[in-house]
Amino acid sequence: EDEDDGGGLEAWERTYAEDRSWEALQEDESGLLRPIDTTAIYHAQYRRRLRATARIQKGLIRYLYIVVDLSKAASERDFRPSRMAVMGKQVEAFIREFFDQNPLSHVGLVTIKDGIAHCITELGGSPESHIKALMGKLECSGDASLQNALELVLGYLNQIPSYGHREVLILYSALSTCDPGDLMETIQKCKKSKIRCSVIGLAAEMFVCKHLCQETGGTYSVALDESHFKELILEHAPPPPAIAEYATANLIKMGFPQRSAEGSVAICTCHEEAKTGGGYTCPRCKVRVCELPTECRVCGLTLISSPHLARSYHHLFPIVMFDEVTPSQNDSNHSFPNTCFGCQQSLLSQGNKPGLSVICPKCKQQFCLDCDIYVHESLHNCPGCESSR
């Protein structure tokens, strides 16, 4: 029995036996083994997603609650070392990526265990505070209650202004939900409050989760493994398409605070304690805040910096897609360079043959696949267009 369960194998042997790493190898022309190059496949999938969202209106100011299921089911070890550890790791990566792509948005964290929903962080714009709070609460126990989580989030998101896009992302480990009332009524409340609910399951598919996503306009998916789970959760980082009846135009008052002098002492409204140096001063009520973007707790003014506003501007006017250049085009036109304009890496594949690359339609500079992804995902301008100005 021990041998059947893998108990007779060493840890490193079990890793290779389960990952089936030999399937990621192929033979080259000389019969030597080399890893399969998946760069072109990944790039093709990425460009399909880019084309699908190029002309879609998106919500720039998002208020997102991440609901993490820490019930007893999260201690299962089908994800290594456990579902809980994988969720903690991927939520940390997601929060950093979320604020990188949505500098004007806010995130809050909610956990479910023992049939109760706990709000561990309120809506805020500091990724470090959210990550620190989550890592201190990673303990599994009891059952999950989807209704209690939705009711708790519903109470917070109902206070959000009309210009904000209300979203909930639920990472669900359990195969059941222990609710005190009618869950279908709660789902209709979320739909009426225009809250977009999405669920990523770590077990099997559940009808109630799928119904919740269909009613509220969210997405429902089930992770197959850790890499698939990472891909699914990072798909929620870019702004989602705005639902037509939810996308109302509003004028928003914003303040651009000045950074306080290093030697000044003032009471921080975020932590309600005296701090020396750093921080920012609200231009309306002159109180001190620690980080941007945030909302002044005294006068309610939205406080941001000019780089945050500039990065959000790219979502309104996305960067023009680069045109693909096939190896046959490179062969027929010798004017193309052999190195990427961005990273100066070679564009030649094995055997010094031209490989896949892209070209900017404005400046006509040629880039590798990695630079194409970097420019469009990080919302930077084309390096060739910038250098030609």
Side-chain angles (χ1 to χ4, degrees):
E1 292 179 358
D2 293 338
E3 292 180 357
D4 294 338
D5 295 336
L9 300 176
E10 298 292 339
W12 65 271
E13 293 177 313
R14 290 198 299 272
T15 301
Y16 286 103
E18 293 164 2
D19 292 347
R20 304 178 67 86
S21 57
W22 58 85
E23 294 182 354
L25 299 173
Q26 63 182 10
E27 291 186 3
D28 58 10
E29 295 81 359
S30 59
L32 299 177
L33 292 177
R34 61 181 176 86
I36 298 175
D37 185 13
T38 58
T39 305
I41 300 175
Y42 171 73
H43 185 259
Q45 295 173 348
Y46 163 75
R47 292 185 69 83
R48 281 198 297 270
R49 294 197 305 268
L50 199 64
R51 291 192 192 97
T53 59
R55 290 289 182 180
I56 297 176
Q57 183 179 359
K58 299 179 179 181
L60 298 186
I61 303 180
R62 305 166 62 187
Y63 293 87
L64 171 68
Y65 266 102
I66 304 174
V67 180
V68 183
D69 177 11
L70 294 181
S71 62
K72 188 170 59 176
S75 61
E76 295 290 336
R77 298 186 178 275
D78 49 354
F79 287 72
R80 296 301 176 92
S82 66
R83 295 180 183 176
M84 179 186 66
V86 170
M87 282 192 294
K89 176 183 175 182
Q90 299 304 332
V91 168
E92 177 181 357
F94 170 76
I95 290 176
R96 298 188 189 280
E97 181 68 18
F98 178 87
F99 283 111
D100 185 61
Q101 299 200 32
N102 306 270
L104 301 183
S105 300
H106 295 75
V107 164
L109 289 176
V110 172
T111 59
I112 318 172
K113 60 181 178 180
D114 299 322
I116 304 173
H118 305 270
C119 180
I120 58 176
T121 59
E122 297 181 357
L123 289 170
S126 172
E128 298 301 330
S129 61
H130 294 306
I131 293 170
K132 183 179 179 180
L134 177 63
M135 294 307 167
K137 299 289 186 180
L138 289 180
E139 296 179 357
C140 305
S141 62
D143 299 322
S145 177
L146 191 58
Q147 184 184 18
N148 285 338
L150 292 176
E151 290 286 354
L152 179 64
V153 170
L154 190 63
Y156 287 114
L157 291 181
N158 277 336
Q159 305 172 16
I160 298 304
S162 59
Y163 59 78
H165 289 256
R166 309 170 185 181
E167 301 175 47
V168 180
L169 176 60
I170 303 174
L171 309 180
Y172 208 68
S173 300
L175 284 173
S176 61
T177 173
C178 183
D179 301 323
D182 189 353
L183 178 57
M184 295 301 173
E185 291 183 3
T186 305
I187 293 176
Q188 293 304 316
K189 288 181 184 178
C190 294
K191 182 179 179 180
K192 185 178 180 181
S193 299
K194 302 177 182 179
I195 298 176
R196 185 177 186 268
C197 301
S198 300
V199 181
I200 300 178
L202 278 81
E205 181 177 304
M206 291 178 59
F207 169 79
V208 68
C209 294
K210 188 174 183 179
H211 178 71
L212 168 65
C213 298
Q214 290 175 344
E215 288 293 312
T216 58
T219 59
Y220 179 53
S221 50
V222 177
L224 303 177
D225 50 32
E226 182 177 355
S227 60
H228 187 219
F229 178 65
K230 179 181 179 180
E231 180 181 344
L232 291 175
I233 192 172
L234 289 181
E235 286 181 357
H236 294 272
I243 301 177
E245 57 268 23
Y246 298 176
T248 57
N250 290 278
L251 295 177
I252 307 170
K253 289 185 178 180
M254 293 185 176
F256 297 87
Q258 296 182 350
R259 187 168 180 83
S260 305
E262 292 299 329
S264 62
V265 180
I267 297 178
C268 169
T269 56
C270 307
H271 303 88
E272 299 180 354
E273 60 183 21
K275 290 194 173 183
T276 303
Y280 302 87
T281 303
C282 175
R284 177 185 286 176
C285 61
K286 308 302 179 184
V287 300
R288 178 77 65 88
V289 295
C290 290
E291 298 176 333
L292 298 178
T294 187
E295 187 174 298
C296 179
R297 297 195 177 189
V298 176
C299 63
L301 182 66
T302 301
L303 304 177
I304 64 170
S305 64
S306 53
H308 293 144
L309 193 61
R311 284 187 58 79
S312 298
Y313 183 80
H314 284 288
H315 287 299
L316 297 177
F317 302 96
I319 301 169
V320 179
M321 266 184 54
F322 293 164
D323 297 327
E324 293 188 21
V325 179
T326 61
S328 59
Q329 290 176 307
N330 272 335
D331 290 336
S332 60
N333 191 345
H334 297 287
S335 62
F336 286 122
N338 292 329
T339 58
C340 170
F341 181 84
C343 62
Q344 299 301 313
Q345 297 294 324
S346 175
L347 295 175
L348 301 177
S349 60
Q350 294 183 354
N352 290 331
K353 297 180 180 179
L356 288 173
S357 58
V358 293
I359 184 172
C360 176
K362 293 183 179 180
C363 64
K364 304 302 180 182
Q365 296 292 349
Q366 197 165 357
F367 299 91
C368 64
L369 304 184
D370 291 335
C371 286
D372 177 30
I373 296 175
Y374 171 76
V375 168
H376 288 88
E377 285 193 346
S378 59
L379 305 178
H380 283 84
N381 292 324
C382 170
C385 298
E386 286 290 323
S387 62
S388 62
R389 289 182 181 179

